Amino acid sequence: MLGFSRRRMALTFPRAGMSAKRPPIEYEEATAEVRAVYDDIMATRKTDWVNNFWKVLAHDPPTLRRIWANIKQVMGPGTLDPLTKELLYVAVSASNGCLYCIASHGAAARSKGMTEAQYSELLAIVGLANETNRLVTALGVAIDPQFL
Amino acid sequence: MLGFSRRRMALTFPRAGMSAKRPPIEYEEATAEVRAVYDDIMATRKTDWVNNFWKVLAHDPPTLRRIWANIKQVMGPGTLDPLTKELLYVAVSASNGCLYCIASHGAAARSKGMTEAQYSELLAIVGLANETNRLVTALGVAIDPQFL
Amino acid sequence: MLGFSRRRMALTFPRAGMSAKRPPIEYEEATAEVRAVYDDIMATRKTDWVNNFWKVLAHDPPTLRRIWANIKQVMGPGTLDPLTKELLYVAVSASNGCLYCIASHGAAARSKGMTEAQYSELLAIVGLANETNRLVTALGVAIDPQFL
Amino acid sequence: MLGFSRRRMALTFPRAGMSAKRPPIEYEEATAEVRAVYDDIMATRKTDWVNNFWKVLAHDPPTLRRIWANIKQVMGPGTLDPLTKELLYVAVSASNGCLYCIASHGAAARSKGMTEAQYSELLAIVGLANETNRLVTALGVAIDPQFL
Amino acid sequence: MLGFSRRRMALTFPRAGMSAKRPPIEYEEATAEVRAVYDDIMATRKTDWVNNFWKVLAHDPPTLRRIWANIKQVMGPGTLDPLTKELLYVAVSASNGCLYCIASHGAAARSKGMTEAQYSELLAIVGLANETNRLVTALGVAIDPQFL
Amino acid sequence: MLGFSRRRMALTFPRAGMSAKRPPIEYEEATAEVRAVYDDIMATRKTDWVNNFWKVLAHDPPTLRRIWANIKQVMGPGTLDPLTKELLYVAVSASNGCLYCIASHGAAARSKGMTEAQYSELLAIVGLANETNRLVTALGVAIDPQFL
């Protein structure tokens, strides 16, 4: 071996036309198919912008449509009120450490009325549940017959 | 090596007086220190029994007292209503796959009014959040300035 | 406190008509709405039975329909061949420790040609990736410019 | 569709000669290659039996050899004493909810001197770290310059 | 729809007086209640500064007090020596990928004597346990009777 | 207490000669032992550079050698083709949220032929498996006898 160069191995790694990271696709540059989803997102949410998650998913239009359809169904009207749904989404995202999801669903929760005191309580529950979940599992606690 | 016996290696592994698994400690066999916590659990919850989690934690009284004090504070009166708190606990536990915790906090949520339709919606949110959490993180989606 | 009874607290916990665990709903007892999904699952998979996952989801018909539509789209024809798709599903399920999912998607992978030697190699990758994922994250390794 | 039978779809699912679950391979039925690893495990640990993990891994001899070589190196003599190494293994396994690993490395830790009081303290740390890990991550706490 | 503006939706998202991210609260701007906890942290640790985790938790004084009381009890004197306790905390945090927690508890471990060679061994155990935890769980290895 | 200074506690925290973060060790500054591994990595991969993961692991030569030996064995020739192996590695890394691992193994997968459409399908499977894994586990779905 003659040297130890750090120059880019263009022939083997990231080939031409392929980027490792997908940039957001803005409305102006989107196809009609993608714009239709963006339009539905904005109409459903009564906003005039679309957040980055959808703009990055837009590189794969079938997934964009599918995930939006899922969110629309799951987070739409039901027996749990809209704020509670957002709180649950934030709690799972906080437990999983998804900062983007905490930010986006946290903003949605705040817009539906979540106070900072409620957010503090939510985080306290997420933290404590993660503690007791580990203790219960590690100790192999048997489910009480009263719970079955 | 002469053979391949499966007889118990009593001298090296699990030594006398040590059990790998901790059985629940019933009220009748508990110390006064442990009974005091059991009594407070039952008084606070207005029930006449204590579930297995506490009976297994009772092998370590300082932890029993500490975890109960945490639960009492975090799940006690606050700005989130008691049902919402239980729903959040169930959601995190479902996301983490703690079956005991789903059973115990699910029972608590039902006792506070959670319907089966609401539980279905909760599980749907837990599932979908786990899906989008992975997509968002793997794609490295940048947080929109609107969320900051 | 007078006693420490373990009798069921029927009035507070699991209320009448609510069960903590959802039993599978068989075809014979299913509604027309649920049967339509079961029929589509069997027709799509060219089998004459439906596995328990769907029968348990059937307690919540909108979720049953939604998850099946997702699976049908994601696991259907695409640019990755059907066996590779199942291998990826098994790998993620093995990494997450979902025994049911390993069993069901493992069976699907075997029916599409996965050999036991291939399954061994898949598990070895799952294990090693979990090891290096932790090392990389804990060490905070910076992404090489060649990868960007 | 004429019926809804639950008979086994022998032709499509689990094919002949393939089992979804791998039974332990006992010494007597093992190949010379596998026996050599079993012998080294027993000699290294000064025991006359091999636990199920290795007997199940034995279906894939290269993985059996590889994982044993890893364990031998990582858990062998070093700058951390043997008991501390086992405590760390148990803590990670408890955090991940691997009951088999808690049992096997817990037994190893007990054989090296871990007391029940120490195990209680270990579990308390595992629980609390899982709580604070979530709080820190969800809150996006910036690393203090003092730690860099 | 007339356009696709990215201007901030001030009325719906992050409302006035609510920030998505909580800045550290310095001693000078803290309430007496918060200062009392800061003082106890510094006195207990014999330092003259408080790290960011506590300053961010300070937005929720009851949680600040509660988590500090937990840390003080769990990480205080016991049957495991202080260094081992920090090593366990670091190991769980490394397994969970909490960089802040690795930094803060890693610093504490170093101040109690952890060498770089020991840290390397700790990380190797964390990595390997994560590998074998997945293999064991995915393979459904049965617990040996010797471990029960 | 007289003040609340943020100056570095040099005597207690990060001691002289110890850094909390390990910088990459370049070829030129590496020992012969480390260079031998770097040389083997480059020869095996037919490249003239080594990525950061190995350069950071190089602070602990036995771990550097061990992990490289594992990668070489697990990712080397077998019954799964090289592209499928990389896809599986990327999928597990995406599920675990290891951005470095997605970048490095994603680059390797692209160099072996992975298209962007295939990467989109892979991510869709990772996301959906994470959703159904949680639903299945939380619902405690029993494994169908057909899968055993």
Side-chain angles (χ1 to χ4, degrees):
Chain A
M1 200 196 105
L2 288 176
F4 186 75
S5 136
R6 253 169 296 169
R7 79 175 149 76
R8 184 178 171 134
M9 296 295 296
L11 296 179
T12 19
F13 276 117
R15 296 185 305 175
M18 290 188 177
S19 63
K21 182 124 173 191
R22 298 177 169 179
I25 295 178
E26 299 299 336
Y27 192 92
E28 292 73 14
E29 45 181 337
T31 62
E33 181 185 16
V34 165
R35 283 187 184 190
V37 179
Y38 287 3
D39 286 341
D40 193 40
I41 291 171
M42 291 187 284
T44 303
R45 295 184 166 176
K46 303 189 200 315
T47 64
D48 64 353
W49 66 292
V50 169
N51 55 308
N52 280 336
F53 177 47
W54 308 109
K55 293 185 193 162
V56 172
L57 278 189
H59 287 263
D60 176 16
T63 296
L64 173 68
R65 268 201 314 273
R66 180 175 62 83
I67 298 292
W68 170 242
N70 275 273
I71 286 283
K72 208 174 163 181
Q73 177 179 327
V74 170
M75 300 304 281
T79 60
L80 291 172
D81 64 278
L83 173 56
T84 301
K85 288 193 169 188
E86 290 295 347
L87 294 176
L88 292 169
Y89 217 112
V90 171
V92 172
S93 302
S95 183
N96 286 338
C98 179
L99 294 183
Y100 182 90
C101 313
I102 296 172
S104 60
H105 287 277
R110 284 184 178 89
S111 79
K112 289 180 171 61
M114 181 180 78
T115 65
E116 288 307 296
Q118 288 176 326
Y119 183 49
S120 292
E121 289 185 24
L122 176 154
L123 284 181
I125 294 170
V126 169
L128 189 54
N130 270 286
E131 179 169 23
T132 61
N133 284 184
R134 264 61 180 197
L135 292 176
V136 162
T137 301
L139 288 164
V141 181
I143 298 184
D144 307 73
Q146 289 92 336
F147 293 145
L148 294 177
Chain B
M1 197 199 110
L2 287 178
F4 187 75
S5 137
R6 254 169 295 170
R7 79 176 148 76
R8 184 177 172 136
M9 295 297 297
L11 296 179
T12 19
F13 276 117
R15 298 184 303 176
M18 289 189 177
S19 63
K21 181 126 173 190
R22 298 176 168 179
I25 295 177
E26 299 299 336
Y27 193 92
E28 292 75 14
E29 46 181 338
T31 61
E33 181 185 18
V34 166
R35 284 187 184 191
V37 180
Y38 287 3
D39 286 342
D40 192 40
I41 291 171
M42 291 187 285
T44 304
R45 294 184 166 174
K46 303 189 200 315
T47 64
D48 65 353
W49 66 290
V50 169
N51 55 307
N52 281 335
F53 176 47
W54 307 108
K55 292 182 192 166
V56 171
L57 278 189
H59 288 262
D60 176 17
T63 296
L64 173 68
R65 268 200 314 273
R66 180 175 62 83
I67 298 292
W68 170 241
N70 275 274
I71 286 281
K72 210 172 161 180
Q73 177 178 327
V74 171
M75 301 303 281
T79 60
L80 292 171
D81 65 278
L83 173 55
T84 300
K85 288 192 169 188
E86 290 296 346
L87 294 176
L88 292 169
Y89 218 111
V90 171
V92 172
S93 302
S95 184
N96 285 338
C98 179
L99 294 183
Y100 183 89
C101 313
I102 297 172
S104 60
H105 287 276
R110 284 183 178 89
S111 79
K112 289 180 171 63
M114 179 180 79
T115 65
E116 288 307 295
Q118 289 176 326
Y119 183 50
S120 292
E121 289 185 23
L122 177 154
L123 284 181
I125 294 169
V126 169
L128 189 54
N130 269 286
E131 179 170 21
T132 61
N133 284 183
R134 263 64 180 196
L135 292 175
V136 162
T137 301
L139 288 164
V141 181
I143 298 185
D144 308 73
Q146 291 90 338
F147 294 143
L148 294 178
Chain C
M1 197 198 106
L2 288 176
F4 187 75
S5 135
R6 252 169 297 168
R7 81 175 146 77
R8 184 179 172 131
M9 296 296 296
L11 296 179
T12 17
F13 276 116
R15 296 185 304 176
M18 290 188 176
S19 63
K21 182 125 174 188
R22 298 177 170 180
I25 295 178
E26 300 298 337
Y27 192 92
E28 292 73 14
E29 45 181 337
T31 62
E33 181 186 16
V34 166
R35 283 187 183 190
V37 180
Y38 287 3
D39 286 341
D40 192 40
I41 291 171
M42 291 186 285
T44 304
R45 295 183 165 176
K46 303 189 200 314
T47 64
D48 65 352
W49 66 290
V50 168
N51 55 307
N52 280 336
F53 177 47
W54 307 109
K55 293 183 193 163
V56 171
L57 279 189
H59 287 263
D60 176 15
T63 296
L64 172 69
R65 268 201 315 273
R66 181 174 62 83
I67 298 291
W68 170 241
N70 275 273
I71 286 282
K72 210 173 161 180
Q73 177 179 327
V74 170
M75 300 305 280
T79 59
L80 292 172
D81 64 279
L83 173 56
T84 300
K85 288 193 168 188
E86 290 294 346
L87 294 176
L88 292 169
Y89 218 112
V90 172
V92 173
S93 302
S95 184
N96 286 338
C98 179
L99 294 183
Y100 183 90
C101 313
I102 296 172
S104 59
H105 287 277
R110 285 183 177 90
S111 78
K112 288 180 171 62
M114 180 180 78
T115 65
E116 287 307 297
Q118 288 177 326
Y119 182 49
S120 292
E121 288 184 24
L122 177 155
L123 284 181
I125 294 169
V126 169
L128 189 54
N130 269 286
E131 180 170 21
T132 61
N133 284 182
R134 262 66 181 193
L135 292 176
V136 163
T137 301
L139 288 164
V141 181
I143 298 185
D144 307 73
Q146 290 91 337
F147 294 145
L148 293 178
Chain D
M1 198 197 109
L2 287 177
F4 187 74
S5 134
R6 251 170 296 170
R7 80 175 149 77
R8 182 175 174 139
M9 296 296 295
L11 296 179
T12 18
F13 277 116
R15 295 185 304 175
M18 291 188 175
S19 63
K21 182 126 172 190
R22 297 176 169 180
I25 295 178
E26 300 298 336
Y27 193 92
E28 293 75 13
E29 46 180 337
T31 62
E33 181 185 17
V34 165
R35 283 187 184 191
V37 179
Y38 286 3
D39 286 343
D40 192 40
I41 291 172
M42 291 187 284
T44 304
R45 295 184 165 175
K46 304 189 199 313
T47 64
D48 65 351
W49 67 290
V50 168
N51 56 307
N52 280 336
F53 177 46
W54 308 108
K55 293 183 191 164
V56 171
L57 278 189
H59 286 262
D60 176 16
T63 296
L64 173 68
R65 268 200 316 272
R66 180 175 63 82
I67 298 291
W68 169 241
N70 275 274
I71 286 282
K72 210 173 162 181
Q73 177 178 329
V74 170
M75 300 305 280
T79 60
L80 291 172
D81 65 277
L83 173 56
T84 300
K85 287 193 169 187
E86 290 295 347
L87 294 176
L88 292 169
Y89 217 111
V90 171
V92 173
S93 302
S95 183
N96 286 337
C98 179
L99 295 182
Y100 183 90
C101 314
I102 297 172
S104 60
H105 288 276
R110 285 183 177 89
S111 79
K112 289 180 172 63
M114 180 180 78
T115 64
E116 287 308 295
Q118 288 176 326
Y119 183 49
S120 291
E121 288 185 24
L122 177 154
L123 285 181
I125 293 170
V126 169
L128 189 54
N130 270 285
E131 179 170 21
T132 61
N133 284 183
R134 263 60 178 200
L135 292 175
V136 162
T137 301
L139 288 164
V141 181
I143 298 186
D144 307 73
Q146 290 91 337
F147 294 144
L148 293 178
Chain E
M1 199 197 108
L2 287 176
F4 186 75
S5 134
R6 251 170 299 170
R7 81 175 147 75
R8 182 176 174 136
M9 295 296 295
L11 296 178
T12 16
F13 277 118
R15 296 185 303 176
M18 291 188 175
S19 64
K21 182 126 173 189
R22 297 176 170 181
I25 295 177
E26 300 298 337
Y27 192 91
E28 293 74 13
E29 46 181 336
T31 61
E33 181 185 18
V34 166
R35 283 186 184 192
V37 179
Y38 287 3
D39 286 341
D40 193 39
I41 291 172
M42 292 186 284
T44 304
R45 295 184 164 175
K46 305 189 198 312
T47 64
D48 65 353
W49 66 290
V50 169
N51 56 308
N52 281 336
F53 177 46
W54 307 109
K55 292 184 193 163
V56 172
L57 278 189
H59 288 263
D60 176 17
T63 296
L64 173 68
R65 268 200 314 272
R66 181 175 62 84
I67 298 292
W68 170 242
N70 275 274
I71 287 282
K72 210 172 162 182
Q73 177 178 329
V74 170
M75 301 305 281
T79 60
L80 292 172
D81 64 278
L83 173 56
T84 300
K85 287 193 169 188
E86 289 295 347
L87 295 176
L88 292 169
Y89 217 111
V90 172
V92 172
S93 302
S95 184
N96 285 338
C98 179
L99 294 183
Y100 183 90
C101 313
I102 296 173
S104 60
H105 287 277
R110 284 183 178 89
S111 79
K112 289 181 171 63
M114 180 180 79
T115 65
E116 287 307 295
Q118 288 177 326
Y119 182 49
S120 292
E121 288 185 25
L122 176 154
L123 285 180
I125 294 169
V126 169
L128 189 54
N130 269 287
E131 179 170 22
T132 61
N133 284 183
R134 264 58 178 201
L135 291 174
V136 162
T137 301
L139 288 163
V141 181
I143 298 185
D144 307 73
Q146 290 91 337
F147 294 144
L148 294 178
Chain F
M1 201 200 106
L2 288 176
F4 186 75
S5 135
R6 251 169 296 169
R7 80 176 147 75
R8 183 177 172 134
M9 296 296 295
L11 296 179
T12 18
F13 276 118
R15 297 184 304 175
M18 290 188 177
S19 63
K21 181 123 174 194
R22 299 177 167 177
I25 295 178
E26 299 299 336
Y27 193 92
E28 293 74 14
E29 46 180 336
T31 61
E33 180 185 18
V34 165
R35 283 188 184 190
V37 179
Y38 287 3
D39 286 341
D40 192 40
I41 291 172
M42 291 186 285
T44 304
R45 294 185 166 175
K46 304 188 199 314
T47 65
D48 65 352
W49 66 290
V50 169
N51 56 307
N52 281 337
F53 177 46
W54 308 109
K55 292 183 193 164
V56 172
L57 277 189
H59 287 263
D60 176 16
T63 296
L64 172 68
R65 270 200 314 273
R66 180 175 63 82
I67 298 292
W68 169 241
N70 275 274
I71 286 283
K72 209 173 162 181
Q73 177 178 327
V74 170
M75 300 305 280
T79 60
L80 292 172
D81 65 278
L83 173 56
T84 301
K85 287 192 169 189
E86 290 294 348
L87 295 175
L88 292 169
Y89 218 111
V90 172
V92 172
S93 302
S95 184
N96 285 338
C98 179
L99 294 183
Y100 183 90
C101 313
I102 296 173
S104 60
H105 288 277
R110 284 183 178 89
S111 78
K112 290 180 170 63
M114 180 180 79
T115 64
E116 288 306 296
Q118 288 176 326
Y119 182 50
S120 292
E121 288 185 25
L122 177 154
L123 285 181
I125 293 170
V126 169
L128 189 54
N130 269 287
E131 179 169 23
T132 61
N133 284 183
R134 264 62 180 197
L135 292 175
V136 162
T137 301
L139 288 164
V141 180
I143 297 185
D144 308 72
Q146 289 92 337
F147 294 143
L148 295 176

